[in-house]
Amino acid sequence: DGAKALVANTGDQTISVIDVAAGSVTKTIPVQGQLGAMAIAPDGRRAYAANASFGGTLLVIDTATDIVLTETLISDASYVYGLAASPDGTRLHAAIDSAIVIVDATTNLPVD
């Protein structure tokens, strides 16, 4: 809804939750590893962050509570260059090296 933004702080191993209207950080979510790309589900209920330090893992964040729900391995690649949610929110597309990994947004696992 545009009320808040989530920002990956690669060097700090955190995600900042920002109140857009106030322009201030309201929460800092600690994570392990080096974060890269982020995406938000179209309905705004989930945020996704790519973690390069542990292979191609995907963190799933509940945006109502700003808590990391899960971290799932989506590729053996060492870096996810970009993330995008499908318009209907059922899939997540991760750009990894020279390939695209499609992830089921319900299970958070790659689609075969």
Side-chain angles (χ1 to χ4, degrees), residues 8 16 23 34 36-37 39 45-46 49 54 56 58-59 61-63 68 70 80 84 88 90 92 94 100-101 110:
S16 294
Q34 183 173 338
R45 295 173 149 183
R46 298 282 186 264
F54 300 104
L58 180 71
L59 289 94
I61 302 157
D62 181 319
T63 58
V68 176
T70 187
V80 177
D88 65 2
T90 62
L92 190 69
I100 301 291
V101 175

Side-chain angles (χ1 to χ4, degrees), residues 31-35 49-61 68-74 108-109:
V31 297
Q32 294 183 2
Q34 183 173 338
L35 297 178
N51 190 337
S53 295
F54 300 104
T57 60
L58 180 71
L59 289 94
V60 180
I61 302 157
V68 176
L69 299 174
T70 187
E71 185 169 6
T72 306
L73 181 68
I74 59 170
N108 302 311
L109 297 172

Side-chain angles (χ1 to χ4, degrees), residues 1 13 19 31:
D1 64 0
Q13 296 183 331
D19 179 319
V31 297

Side-chain angles (χ1 to χ4, degrees), residues 8-111:
N9 303 308
T10 300
D12 293 339
Q13 296 183 331
T14 61
I15 296 172
S16 294
V17 180
I18 299 170
D19 179 319
V20 174
S24 61
V25 176
T26 58
K27 184 172 183 176
T28 301
I29 305 169
V31 297
Q32 294 183 2
Q34 183 173 338
L35 297 178
M38 289 192 71
I40 303 291
D43 65 6
R45 295 173 149 183
R46 298 282 186 264
Y48 303 95
N51 190 337
S53 295
F54 300 104
T57 60
L58 180 71
L59 289 94
V60 180
I61 302 157
D62 181 319
T63 58
T65 61
D66 299 322
I67 293 173
V68 176
L69 299 174
T70 187
E71 185 169 6
T72 306
L73 181 68
I74 59 170
S75 171
D76 292 332
S78 61
Y79 195 78
V80 177
Y81 294 97
L83 290 173
S86 64
D88 65 2
T90 62
R91 301 275 193 255
L92 190 69
H93 301 84
I96 298 175
D97 296 325
S98 62
I100 301 291
V101 175
I102 299 173
V103 177
D104 182 309
T106 304
T107 64
N108 302 311
L109 297 172
V111 176

